[in-house]
Amino acid sequence: MKTLKAIRIVAWAAVAIVIGGVATVLVLQQFDDPPIATVATIGGPFSLTDQHGQPVTEASLKGHPSAMFFGYTYCPDVCPTTLFEMTSLMAELGPDADKLKVYFVTVDPERDTQAVLADYLQAFDPRIGGLTGSREEIDKTLSAFRVFSRKVEGEDGNYLMDHTASVYLFDDDAVFTSTIDYQEDETTALAKLKRLIDGA
C-alpha cells in the first residue's frame, strides 16, 4: 500500500510539473519581444551637457523621436560598433534622419569630458550628440534610464566599463518604446527607426 501511495504521489507531482511548464510557456508566448523593463520605468529627469557645451535635459527628448545609447569613448568594441551602425542607419534614413535626435551618453564622465566627446564623435554622423556631466549627474541619469554600468579594473591601472549595450528608442513625447539590440539585423533596426519616425 505504501508503495502504491508513493507511486500516486510521484504521478501527481509529475502532472503538476507538466501543467506548470505548459502555463509558463503560454505566459511567455504572449510576448514576442519581452520588454527590458516596464515602459513607465525607462526615463526621467536628468541634466547633462553635450559636446558643444549646451545643456540637455529630459525636455530635450520631447517634440521629436530620440535614440539614446550609453557607453564610453575608451570602449574597445561595443561603442564604436554601435555608433558606426547608427551612422549607417541614419544614412539609410535619408532626409528622415533629421527628424531623429541621437544621443551618446557616457558612463565614464571622469575621462569623457566635453572635449574628448567632441573629438571622438567626429568619426560618426555629425548629428549624434555626446552627453556628459558630473559623476553624480551621470549616475542619476543611469538610474532613471535603468542602465547597468560597472567599472572593471585592469592590471595596468587602466579600466574598462561594463554597460548596457542596447540603443533606447523614445517617441516624441519622450516615452520609451523599444530598443535596438547590439548588432541587431540592420533591416530590423532600420524598420524600428522608420516606425518611430512615422509615428511622431
Side-chain angles (χ1 to χ4, degrees), residues 79-160:
C79 300
T81 297
T82 299
L83 289 169
F84 272 123
E85 289 175 348
M86 287 303 299
T87 295
S88 177
L89 289 169
M90 292 174 78
E92 289 288 333
L93 287 171
D96 279 347
D98 291 335
K99 303 174 183 178
L100 178 70
K101 295 288 186 180
V102 181
Y103 297 103
F104 173 60
V105 186
T106 184
V107 298
D108 184 23
E110 289 81 6
R111 293 184 294 189
D112 288 344
T113 62
Q114 291 178 33
V116 170
L117 282 172
D119 182 63
Y120 182 76
L121 290 173
Q122 288 182 26
F124 310 104
D125 190 291
R127 291 167 291 190
I128 297 176
L131 305 185
T132 189
S134 68
R135 179 76 263 173
E136 182 180 0
E137 290 168 336
I138 290 296
D139 286 343
K140 181 179 179 180
T141 304
L142 298 182
S143 178
F145 286 83
R146 301 299 188 267
V147 173
F148 168 79
S149 175
R150 178 174 64 92
K151 180 184 286 189
V152 180
E153 299 287 353
E155 295 180 357
D156 55 0
N158 292 319
Y159 62 89
L160 297 175

